[in-house]
Amino acid sequence: MSSLRNAIPRRAHKERSQPEARKKFGLLEKHKDYVVRARAYHIKEATIAKLKEKAAFRNPDEFYFKMINSRTVGGIHRPKPEDNKYTEEELLLLKNKDMGYILQSIQSEKKKIEKLSSTLHELDNKPQNKHVYFAEDREEAKEIQSRIGQSNNMPGLDNIPSRIKKKTASSYRELEERKQRLQKLEKLYADMALQKELKKPGRKRKLKLNEDEETDNQTSQPVYKWRAQRKR
C-alpha cells in the first residue's frame, strides 16, 4: 500500500510569501527563523540578568592589582607596558637563540642555492660529443665532417617547449630571490653579532676611517676597538 500511496501524484505545498502590502518589510519570517531569533534574545536576556546580579552582590572593598596596573583606553582595559621585563643576561640569551636560528636559515638557504644552481647549470650546458671517428682517406673524412655538421645543426635543445622555458625562467627568478634573501640574512646576522659584542663589558671606541676607506666601505660594518686588559 505504501508504494501505491507514493505513486499517486501529490500537490507540492509552497511556503506562503510576503503579502504585496508588506513587501517593504522584506521576506516573510518563518517559524524556524523565529526560533533562532527568540533563542538569541533569551541568551542575551539571561546574560544581562547575570551581570545585574553580580553588580548587586559586588563587594565594595574588593581589590585587584590590575585596577592600578592597567588603564582604560576606549573602554578596554590595557595593561601598562613593562619596560624592564627581562634582565641583561636574559636579553643576551634571547639574542643568542635568534642568532642560532638565523645561522641555521643561512646554511639552509646556501644548500638550496647550491642545489638550484647545479640543476640550472646542467640545463644550460650542452652535452659535448667526444666520439672519435676514423677515416681511411680524405673523401671519407669530408663525408664524416659534413654528417657531423648536419647533426649539430639539427634542432636539439633550441626547440624547447614553452612550458619548460617558463619553468626554467621561474627557477632563475627563484635563484635570484634566494640570493637576495641570503644577503639580507647575512647582513642581519652580522648586525646581531656586532650588537652582541658591544653589550659585553670593557671599554671600547669606534675607529675613524679615512676618506678613501669611507668611500670604499660605505656598506661595511663599523669597526670598534676594545682596550687591552691585563689578565691575571
Side-chain angles (χ1 to χ4, degrees), residues 146-156 158:
S146 62
R147 191 165 65 244
I148 292 172
Q150 290 177 1
S151 62
N152 290 335
N153 294 329
M154 288 178 64
D158 296 334

Side-chain angles (χ1 to χ4, degrees), residues 22-40:
R22 295 177 56 85
K23 285 286 186 181
K24 60 182 179 180
F25 297 112
L27 296 174
L28 180 65
E29 185 182 40
K30 305 301 186 293
H31 179 70
K32 59 181 181 180
D33 303 326
Y34 161 75
V35 169
V36 173
R37 183 170 58 83
R39 202 170 283 166

Side-chain angles (χ1 to χ4, degrees), residues 119-136:
T119 306
L120 294 173
H121 184 68
E122 290 176 0
L123 289 174
D124 291 339
N125 289 343
K126 295 182 179 180
Q128 295 181 358
N129 190 4
K130 297 183 179 180
H131 189 78
V132 180
Y133 295 91
F134 296 94
E136 294 183 358

Side-chain angles (χ1 to χ4, degrees), residues 33-203:
D33 303 326
Y34 161 75
V35 169
V36 173
R37 183 170 58 83
R39 202 170 283 166
Y41 173 77
H42 289 307
I43 289 173
K44 292 175 184 177
E45 198 176 31
T47 305
I48 291 172
K50 193 179 292 184
L51 291 174
K52 285 182 178 179
E53 184 182 355
K54 281 186 177 181
F57 289 100
R58 184 179 63 85
N59 182 11
D61 297 328
E62 67 179 340
F63 172 77
Y64 299 101
F65 283 100
K66 287 287 184 182
M67 294 179 181
I68 60 174
N69 292 334
S70 63
R71 58 181 181 176
T72 306
V73 180
I76 301 173
H77 288 280
R78 299 189 182 278
K80 289 183 180 179
E82 299 178 2
D83 297 332
N84 300 324
K85 187 176 180 180
Y86 300 105
T87 60
E88 290 291 332
E89 291 79 8
E90 290 173 344
L91 288 173
L92 191 61
L93 182 61
L94 290 173
K95 287 202 171 184
N96 288 340
K97 288 184 179 179
D98 293 341
M99 288 177 63
Y101 171 73
I102 292 174
L103 182 61
Q104 185 180 1
S105 301
I106 289 173
Q107 293 172 352
S108 174
E109 205 68 29
K110 282 183 178 179
K111 288 181 181 178
K112 290 177 182 177
I113 288 173
E114 185 179 355
K115 184 178 179 181
L116 194 59
S117 300
S118 62
T119 306
L120 294 173
H121 184 68
E122 290 176 0
L123 289 174
D124 291 339
N125 289 343
K126 295 182 179 180
Q128 295 181 358
N129 190 4
K130 297 183 179 180
H131 189 78
V132 180
Y133 295 91
F134 296 94
E136 294 183 358
D137 51 7
R138 293 181 179 274
E139 294 180 357
E140 189 176 355
K142 290 179 179 180
E143 184 181 353
I144 292 173
Q145 286 180 356
S146 62
R147 191 165 65 244
I148 292 172
Q150 290 177 1
S151 62
N152 290 335
N153 294 329
M154 288 178 64
L157 296 175
D158 296 334
N159 192 14
I160 300 175
S162 59
R163 178 176 57 84
I164 299 177
K165 287 183 178 179
K166 290 180 180 178
K167 193 173 182 180
T168 308
S170 64
S171 299
Y172 274 110
R173 284 196 299 269
E174 182 185 356
L175 179 63
E176 192 63 29
E177 290 173 1
R178 288 193 179 278
K179 285 182 178 179
Q180 293 177 2
R181 184 169 182 268
L182 179 62
Q183 290 178 357
K184 292 179 181 178
L185 286 173
E186 287 177 344
K187 185 177 183 303
L188 180 61
Y189 182 78
D191 292 340
M192 293 181 71
L194 178 61
Q195 294 298 326
K196 178 186 172 184
E197 294 295 328
L198 291 176
K199 284 187 176 296
K200 290 183 179 179
R203 296 181 61 183

Side-chain angles (χ1 to χ4, degrees), residues 10-22:
R10 297 177 182 178
R11 181 180 177 182
H13 296 280
K14 298 180 180 179
E15 291 186 352
R16 187 165 64 92
S17 61
Q18 186 75 282
E20 193 68 28
R22 295 177 56 85

